[in-house]
Amino acid sequence: MRLIIIGAGFAGMYAALSAARLRDIHGVSPEDLEIALIAPEPTLVIRPRLYESKPETLTAPLLDVLNAIDVVYVQGSAETIDTKARVVQVATTKGTRKTLSYDRLVVATGSRLFRPNIPGLAKHGFSVDQLDDAIALDRHLHSLANRPAMNGRDTVVVAGGGFTGIEAATEMPARLRAVLGNDAKPRVIIVDRNNAIAPDMGAGPRPVIEDALRKLGVETRLGAGVASLDKSGVTLSDGERIEAETVI
Ligand SMILES: Cc1cc2nc3c(=O)[nH]c(=O)nc-3n(C[C@H](O)[C@H](O)[C@H](O)COP(=O)(O)OP(=O)(O)OC[C@H]3O[C@@H](n4cnc5c(N)ncnc54)[C@H](O)[C@@H]3O)c2cc1C
């Protein structure tokens, strides 16, 4: 029998660990039940911390762990799943394709940031969604030190005042000061279409969040969305213009 797990994030890794543990508890051998994990890289990316500095360090190698628990690692991306024939087609990193049959399948391929069709977003926006995005943002923040201290160089606009937006925004004052020096006066502004910050968290924790934002000097613009981005800043849906060289 073969169990296939697609994805090496938190869900895929724990599925593999749990399945191997159960296999062990029930005294089943790896020959009788093969557990195979398919992912482009045998690496766990710590996505919840990708708004931090040095994002390239926020990974953990998985190969030794998978070897130790007799989980077979298959390098590649699952492209198609045929649930009737119970086969997964995998595109390997070498450009070839292989087909793997399964008896049970766990799909743990994670999520991707929703990128709305806002003019300028694809070209001028940054994100902290995937490792490459976080590394691109980190490089951009470091490059600010080489630019003239004018217009929106020291300003970061974070579009979205939910969990991740708040985490990203509250990290920015320290990250900017680390790049621009302690005398810098970074400006961080959270923009959200809702009329309240952290709309999903309810009224209970809001005063604590608002207090923390105030103490960090993080500003908010509520009730207006980002309507467009360009090289030097954003225009909000209520017409306000904010000069900012960094928009997340
Ligand atoms: C900045 C940020 C902050 C966050 N903060 C929090 C928080 O505070 N608390 C919280 O609970 N959550 C938080 N999250 C969300 C959390 O990171 C995700 O919910 C979690 O990483 C999802 O785990 P996952 O295993 O489902 O997917 P992922 O971690 O996305 O892993 C998906 C895996 O599937 C692989 N994969 C994708 N497609 C294929 C394919 N076709 N074939 C093979 N492999 C594939 C990928 O390479 C990866 O290995 C945050 C996310 C971000 C980006």
Side-chain angles (χ1 to χ4, degrees):
M1 272 187 82
R2 183 187 279 148
L3 164 69
I4 287 186
I5 297 160
I6 309 177
F10 288 103
M13 179 194 66
Y14 277 110
L17 288 170
S18 308
R21 184 162 175 265
L22 267 182
R23 182 174 63 182
D24 198 40
I25 287 171
H26 290 286
V28 177
S29 72
E31 287 74 37
D32 288 334
L33 172 60
E34 182 184 299
I35 304 168
L37 183 143
I38 305 169
E41 295 298 332
T43 309
L44 174 73
V45 176
I46 318 296
R47 284 182 73 200
R49 292 178 54 193
L50 285 182
Y51 50 80
E52 294 181 20
S53 61
K54 299 197 180 114
E56 67 281 359
T57 63
L58 298 173
T59 64
L62 289 181
L63 214 45
D64 285 351
V65 178
L66 298 177
N67 285 336
I69 57 173
D70 278 317
V71 170
V72 177
Y73 169 62
V74 180
Q75 187 157 37
S77 282
E79 284 206 318
T80 59
I81 300 168
D82 182 338
T83 52
K84 283 216 174 76
R86 295 193 173 201
V87 291
V88 179
Q89 196 174 63
V90 181
T92 71
T93 38
K94 292 180 189 124
T96 56
R97 284 199 162 62
K98 66 169 102 169
T99 302
L100 291 176
S101 60
Y102 65 84
D103 297 282
R104 292 284 188 275
L105 179 69
V106 175
V107 180
T109 47
S111 58
R112 285 245 160 208
L113 176 68
F114 168 64
R115 293 172 199 266
N117 191 18
I118 294 173
L121 179 66
K123 190 161 181 212
H124 303 292
F126 289 91
S127 88
V128 287
D129 182 42
Q130 303 290 329
L131 186 61
D132 290 349
D133 302 325
I135 290 172
L137 170 64
D138 196 52
R139 285 198 183 128
H140 165 79
L141 291 177
H142 278 93
S143 76
L144 293 175
N146 304 324
R147 300 186 191 184
M150 52 192 286
N151 298 331
R153 185 196 69 165
D154 301 355
T155 304
V156 176
V157 168
V158 176
F163 287 97
T164 310
I166 292 169
E167 286 179 316
T170 49
E171 198 77 3
M172 286 305 136
R175 283 185 72 179
L176 282 171
R177 269 193 293 271
V179 168
L180 302 171
N182 278 334
D183 295 337
K185 297 207 169 20
R187 211 175 152 210
V188 180
I189 306 162
I190 299 176
V191 176
D192 198 300
R193 276 195 290 245
N194 286 285
N195 289 314
I197 194 78
D200 294 339
M201 278 181 251
R206 196 159 294 136
V208 181
I209 295 166
E210 287 169 344
D211 189 44
L213 294 178
R214 228 182 345 265
K215 283 180 179 146
L216 281 167
V218 175
E219 303 170 37
T220 53
R221 296 287 187 283
L222 303 173
V226 171
S228 67
L229 288 76
D230 55 53
K231 199 166 164 271
S232 61
V234 298
T235 305
L236 306 189
S237 52
D238 62 4
E240 182 181 349
R241 169 83 189 165
I242 305 174
E243 294 296 314
E245 291 198 12
T246 310
V247 181
I248 304 173

